[in-house]
Amino acid sequence: MDTSNSAASANKATLQTPKYPNQVTGMYILARALRMVGITNMYGLVGIPVTDFAYIAQEQGIRFAGFHHEQNAGMAAATHGYLTKTPGVLLTVSSLGFLNGLTATANATVNCYPMIQISGSSEREPIDLGQGTYEGLDQLSIAKPLVKAAYRVNKPEDIPTAVVRAYRAAISGRPGGVYLDITTPCLGAIMNMADAEKLFYKPVDLVPAMVPSEESVKRAVELISSAKKPVFLIGKGAAYAQVENKVKQLVESTGIPFYPMSMAKGLMPDNHPLSAISCRSTIMQQADVVVLIGARLNWLLSRGHGKWNSDTKFVQLDIDPQEIDINRPIAAPVIGDLDSSLTAILSQLGNHKTSMDPAWVTQLQAETKVKKAKLDERLQQNASTQPMNHWTALSAIKPVLESNPDVILVNEGANTLDDTRDAVNMSLPRHRIDCATWAIMGMGMGSCIGAAMATGKSVVAVEGDSAFGFSGMEFSTICRFKLPVTVVIFNNGGIYNGIGVNMSNDGDPAPTTLDVNARFDKIGDAFGAQTYYVTNPADLKNALSEAIASKKPCLIDVQLAADSGKESGHIGYLNPASLQNITV
């Protein structure tokens, strides 16, 4: 008797009448593989071909947050990645759902947030032959130029390996977005459970340390020690790396002042005696050595040009050697992960005596005192303005947020972003999330959800009315999951403001005009949230305090004057100049 043929026939018969749990699908294998690498949250929007997979993921212990739009779900996943140092996972359908999500994945890549986008895709053969199949988009080819890595999975046997590779790519080296294309035949393919179980494994050393060379550290330490007017410039890469203790040791052991980028605010308290947060122009013009810690000399720092002193020397701590010398020569590149690099620098700095001019710190502290007095005066002068402007509202918000330092602040808009960043001091790391490197609008509600789900902490979003409009429907998601999120909307009736003038006089609103009389609080009412409509700072302060204390979904509609705000906020200089008289 040919036992091998008999076994094969028996196995074939088993697969002809598959039944769980003896047999499983690719969807089950994908869910198990994600759990094996520690994924516990997933953000997305279901439909063909991933609906059943989302249910199976829930059954496997993965919390699934269903959104109204894939881009917003992707922003949640990206925020999750930034706050936890583990990839946030986005799930989308094929074609346009994939494209919607890809915006967030590309943004995660640019901002170095670890994230994995998983999208279902249609059968390969009719796509490759251009035969017009359902949602027949070549998703892998589109994703590849925009993400850190991209893989397609055609067979269920390859799913565990693909998940591990995606995870490694997302978090190792410089983090970023990874795309996993899972075909419909792969998701629906059937395997015997016993065979599937053999595929799973726990990966080892997913984020290996990258230790800098001794020579690079020595060069950096010698340059720092010889500086007369040095500054530590801290970027959100340092916040992501969770190296605040070593940054604190570096700053306080050397006495060198520091300047934090927007999302690095709180890594060291903004009101620390060595904080030079108000001295940007002075640093650019006078610092002789600037140490970039998880920061890039991109447009946010004028690419090292503009007001920067041409004689300034840069030390750059970065994990990616391709980041060095992009815009300015880097005198002392230190290539390695930030934890290893800071450890090495701290160990050598103790053997060197710094040469910093003591008047440098005194100068920056004096300037900080003057700038703080001007800010306080501005807030005070606007504290009772009616109707309110941005500074009136912030005079009420500032003390509430600063007395609740463990609340995560999400912030987006033009004037709303810029003025809130300047007004509200942060004292804890990774408690400020904004539109970051690309200044992309529409990250607000997704980031609120990702932050709340990833950390369990209370979140407050301070949003411009235009910015809220990009993702406002996701407030219903906040309510559905009963998240401790308070959304504060500054309504001045427009993009930048509500006083734009239509130059054709045809009766249509101007391109920047929205609705200054809109009642955003009614959106909160529709979904059962606690809502407030406020027109004065006293009511705003009380509403925000009450909302945070409730730890429930809340929405505060803040009525501002239509003429509050200017075009493009603090970066109007990026606009091309017009020869015509335009009122924006």
Side-chain angles (χ1 to χ4, degrees), residues 354-393:
T354 58
S355 306
M356 183 171 60
D357 182 350
W360 175 235
V361 172
T362 304
Q363 174 190 347
L364 295 178
Q365 289 175 333
E367 182 177 340
T368 297
K369 186 176 180 179
V370 171
K371 296 284 181 65
K372 180 181 183 303
K374 286 183 178 179
L375 176 63
D376 291 345
E377 180 182 6
R378 187 172 196 174
L379 289 165
Q380 184 61 39
Q381 287 178 343
N382 288 279
S384 57
T385 300
Q386 289 293 134
M388 290 192 291
N389 59 37
H390 289 80
W391 294 103
T392 316

Side-chain angles (χ1 to χ4, degrees), residues 74-254:
M75 296 299 180
T79 299
H80 179 113
Y82 168 70
L83 292 174
T84 67
K85 294 180 71 176
T86 60
V89 176
L90 166 66
L91 177 68
T92 84
V93 299
S94 48
S95 189
L96 293 181
F98 150 79
L99 289 173
N100 289 341
L102 189 60
T103 302
T105 311
N107 187 58
T109 303
V110 167
N111 281 289
C112 309
Y113 304 150
M115 174 181 165
I116 300 172
Q117 175 176 343
I118 299 174
S119 296
S121 65
S122 298
E123 286 185 84
R124 290 305 316 156
E125 290 83 353
I127 292 175
D128 294 340
L129 287 169
Q131 294 177 326
T133 190
Y134 172 75
E135 296 191 345
L137 189 67
D138 188 357
Q139 295 165 199
L140 185 69
S141 297
I142 292 170
K144 276 186 174 181
L146 300 173
V147 299
K148 184 180 178 185
Y151 310 103
R152 174 178 289 131
V153 191
N154 293 299
K155 301 186 299 181
E157 295 91 338
D158 293 332
I159 289 174
T161 297
V163 167
V164 171
R165 290 189 69 189
Y167 195 108
R168 282 190 186 276
I171 64 173
S172 60
R174 171 169 282 179
V178 177
Y179 174 60
L180 269 186
D181 188 275
I182 316 288
T183 65
T184 299
C186 179
L187 289 168
I190 296 170
M191 289 186 68
N192 285 327
M193 173 71 88
D195 295 325
E197 286 292 338
K198 298 174 184 177
L199 302 173
F200 301 117
Y201 64 100
K202 281 192 174 294
V204 177
D205 200 12
L206 284 166
V207 192
M210 296 182 65
V211 180
S213 70
E214 290 186 17
E215 181 183 355
S216 70
V217 173
K218 179 182 177 183
R219 186 187 302 116
V221 167
E222 288 176 349
L223 189 55
I224 294 168
S225 300
S226 66
K228 302 299 182 184
K229 295 184 176 182
V231 171
F232 294 124
L233 199 155
I234 307 168
K236 70 176 181 295
Y240 168 80
Q242 301 184 13
V243 292
E244 51 268 20
N245 290 338
K246 289 180 179 174
V247 170
K248 179 178 179 3
Q249 183 181 350
L250 185 63
V251 169
E252 295 183 346
S253 65
T254 61

Side-chain angles (χ1 to χ4, degrees), residues 356-568:
M356 183 171 60
D357 182 350
W360 175 235
V361 172
T362 304
Q363 174 190 347
L364 295 178
Q365 289 175 333
E367 182 177 340
T368 297
K369 186 176 180 179
V370 171
K371 296 284 181 65
K372 180 181 183 303
K374 286 183 178 179
L375 176 63
D376 291 345
E377 180 182 6
R378 187 172 196 174
L379 289 165
Q380 184 61 39
Q381 287 178 343
N382 288 279
S384 57
T385 300
Q386 289 293 134
M388 290 192 291
N389 59 37
H390 289 80
W391 294 103
T392 316
L394 287 168
S395 72
I397 287 173
K398 175 179 169 70
V400 177
L401 290 181
E402 290 179 0
S403 64
N404 290 275
D406 202 34
V407 169
I408 295 174
L409 171 61
V410 173
N411 189 200
E412 67 170 333
N415 298 277
T416 304
L417 169 71
D418 295 336
D419 296 344
T420 302
R421 180 185 60 235
D422 290 346
V424 178
N425 284 328
M426 306 301 295
S427 57
L428 294 174
R430 293 171 299 282
H431 278 65
R432 177 182 170 80
I433 299 166
D434 61 32
C435 50
T437 301
W438 268 356
I440 188 171
M441 293 295 104
M443 44 68 64
M445 296 304 97
S447 289
C448 286
I449 295 164
M453 286 193 164
T455 69
K457 294 185 176 184
S458 294
V459 179
V460 169
V462 179
E463 300 264 313
D465 54 332
S466 171
F468 177 75
F470 282 85
S471 61
M473 193 63 186
E474 301 303 346
F475 187 72
S476 70
T477 307
I478 292 169
C479 294
R480 199 163 70 250
F481 283 85
K482 300 179 174 60
L483 300 176
V485 175
T486 297
V487 177
V488 181
I489 303 168
F490 284 7
N491 182 17
N492 64 354
I495 304 170
Y496 312 132
N497 58 50
I499 60 171
V501 176
N502 179 341
M503 296 171 68
S504 74
N505 296 312
D506 64 2
D508 282 348
T512 54
T513 300
L514 299 175
D515 185 357
V516 75
N517 297 311
R519 289 292 298 271
F520 291 100
D521 54 312
K522 302 300 181 183
I523 294 175
D525 290 340
F527 300 114
Q530 176 64 48
T531 62
Y532 308 83
Y533 174 72
V534 297
T535 59
N536 63 75
D539 287 349
L540 173 54
K541 185 175 182 179
N542 291 336
L544 183 56
S545 298
E546 183 179 295
I548 291 172
S550 76
K551 296 188 180 297
K552 295 178 180 178
C554 297
L555 190 150
I556 305 174
D557 184 350
V558 182
Q559 186 64 63
L560 302 186
D563 62 355
S564 178
K566 61 183 179 179
E567 182 182 4
S568 301

Side-chain angles (χ1 to χ4, degrees), residues 296-343:
R296 296 177 283 188
L297 275 177
N298 57 20
W299 75 273
L300 292 164
L301 290 170
S302 302
R303 294 181 292 110
H305 304 296
K307 292 182 179 179
W308 283 100
N309 188 327
S310 59
D311 294 328
T312 300
K313 290 183 170 60
F314 291 93
V315 177
Q316 186 167 4
L317 279 59
D318 204 288
I319 202 166
D320 185 0
Q322 294 187 63
E323 190 61 38
I324 305 305
D325 297 330
I326 285 183
N327 285 305
R328 285 281 293 267
I330 303 301
V334 181
I335 306 303
D337 68 87
L338 284 183
D339 188 84
S340 297
S341 296
L342 289 169
T343 298

Side-chain angles (χ1 to χ4, degrees), residues 269-281:
D270 286 347
N271 59 4
H272 189 282
L274 291 172
S275 172
I277 195 170
S278 302
C279 308
R280 177 188 175 97
S281 293

